[in-house]
Amino acid sequence: MGTEGARALLERAGTLNLQTGNLLSWGCGRKKCPATPSEEVRECIQKILTEWSSKVGQDQNQEMVEVLECTIAQAVEKMNPEERDELKVSAKLFIVGSNSSSIRDAVDMACSSLGVAQLDSVIVAPPPVEDGTSLSLEYLQPYWQELETLVENKKIVAIGTSDLDKTLLEQLYVWAQVKPSSNQVNLASCCVMPPDLTAFAKQFDIQLLTHNDPKELLCEASFQEVLQESIQNVKAHEWIPLWVLRYSVIVKSRGIIKSKGYIMQAKRNAS
């Protein structure tokens, strides 16, 4: 019913902001557990797009906006300010485009969506480097500087990294004004934490965490594919994902996840 209206909006807009809201409350993926993090985010994006497009009216005079907010209103849960001290809000930010300013947009949107003034921790996963190129301090620096500014502005309490070996983690630690509080290590790349990384992290009080995220959580082609599947005849090739933020709200005293979800942003490149 609403596919034509949704397509018309997408053809006029320049930015698409997509929020899943609390997945635990509306059951995205409840029937079966997605095999991988990439499958989970694809499934969630598809469900949100399908639901949103079905509710968009076909009124040709409907307001065309530059920034489209694609979400299911009843799934978005703002935190009760009285409970804020009992909860920890953590996020991992996957940057798809190579623009470090995306970090500020992502953190602002997450805070607004959850109704909080700051996030307790943010781990950044910069865009994958090109084949044959190694991750370097120079590559990381602009992203880390954006995070440091957000710490100084009290939008984030602690910042962390993902998939750095001991050499690169040490280089970042020495250079950084705000030191990394954590470093995620991919379970697929090592069954046992490297001893040199463990020793360095212990010496400088850096928490080592494990994860099973792919190097690229959502690539451009994958997003365009899911957009095409969700809204018929949309010009999916014009849309480029910029970043995906995955958040979780944890009850500190019990270690229980109260809320989790995804927020993402895409831009339309109509040239």
Side-chain angles (χ1 to χ4, degrees):
M1 172 72 178
T3 303
E4 288 183 22
R7 188 169 61 245
L9 288 172
L10 283 163
E11 285 178 359
R12 304 282 185 88
T15 301
L16 174 65
N17 294 334
L18 188 147
Q19 297 183 49
T20 64
N22 184 4
L23 301 181
L24 304 182
S25 67
W26 72 279
C28 180
R30 185 179 289 168
K31 292 180 182 176
K32 59 178 175 51
C33 289
T36 67
S38 290
E39 286 178 14
E40 179 180 67
V41 73
R42 270 188 59 124
E43 180 185 324
C44 291
I45 290 170
Q46 184 166 30
K47 287 195 175 186
I48 289 290
L49 285 169
T50 303
E51 181 95 358
W52 170 76
S53 64
S54 72
K55 293 182 177 177
V56 172
Q58 290 182 300
D59 179 5
Q60 294 306 308
N61 296 317
Q62 64 193 342
E63 186 182 359
M64 298 294 175
V65 293
E66 172 64 19
V67 179
L68 271 184
E69 300 291 343
C70 178
T71 187
I72 310 302
Q74 65 268 27
V76 176
E77 296 179 5
K78 293 194 184 294
M79 288 168 54
N80 182 342
E82 294 177 3
E83 297 179 348
R84 181 64 183 94
D85 290 344
E86 302 163 21
L87 302 171
K88 179 180 180 181
V89 185
S90 303
K92 184 171 182 180
L93 177 58
F94 302 85
I95 299 170
V96 185
S98 57
N99 188 347
S100 59
S101 64
S102 293
I103 293 175
R104 186 170 60 255
D105 294 338
V107 170
D108 284 344
M109 277 181 63
C111 287
S112 174
S113 175
L114 293 168
V116 298
Q118 66 179 188
L119 306 180
D120 293 299
S121 72
V122 174
I123 288 172
V124 66
V129 292
E130 295 177 8
D131 289 341
T133 308
S134 298
L135 192 61
S136 65
L137 178 63
E138 290 73 25
Y139 188 75
L140 288 172
Q141 282 171 333
Y143 302 101
W144 198 257
Q145 286 171 325
E146 280 290 328
L147 288 171
E148 288 182 326
T149 299
L150 290 166
V151 172
E152 289 162 12
N153 294 339
K154 300 194 176 345
K155 296 289 285 187
I156 308 174
V157 178
I159 50 180
T161 58
S162 184
D163 300 317
L164 302 195
D165 59 17
K166 185 261 180 184
T167 301
L168 193 47
L169 184 60
E170 184 174 11
Q171 288 175 354
L172 177 65
Y173 189 90
V174 169
W175 169 81
Q177 296 293 309
V178 179
K179 309 300 183 186
S181 65
S182 61
N183 180 44
Q184 283 191 332
V185 179
N186 196 317
L187 286 168
S189 63
C190 67
C191 298
V192 180
M193 291 281 187
D196 60 343
L197 180 62
T198 304
F200 179 79
K202 185 176 181 180
Q203 182 182 355
F204 292 98
D205 197 26
I206 300 170
Q207 188 178 15
L208 291 182
L209 308 166
T210 58
H211 75 95
N212 65 341
D213 297 314
K215 286 187 177 178
E216 210 167 11
L217 183 71
L218 180 74
C219 66
E220 187 177 307
S222 184
F223 175 69
Q224 291 171 352
E225 193 177 279
V226 83
L227 185 58
Q228 189 70 63
E229 289 169 359
S230 307
I231 302 171
Q232 292 178 354
N233 301 320
V234 71
K235 295 175 181 175
H237 64 279
E238 294 183 348
W239 286 93
I240 311 296
L242 299 182
W243 51 264
V244 180
L245 181 141
R246 182 178 64 211
Y247 67 84
S248 59
V249 179
I250 298 166
V251 181
K252 292 178 186 175
S253 59
R254 297 158 65 197
I256 295 172
I257 297 177
K258 183 176 183 182
S259 174
K260 68 170 281 191
Y262 291 95
I263 302 171
M264 73 160 293
Q265 187 174 75
K267 287 273 186 190
R268 187 164 70 94
N269 181 8
S271 59

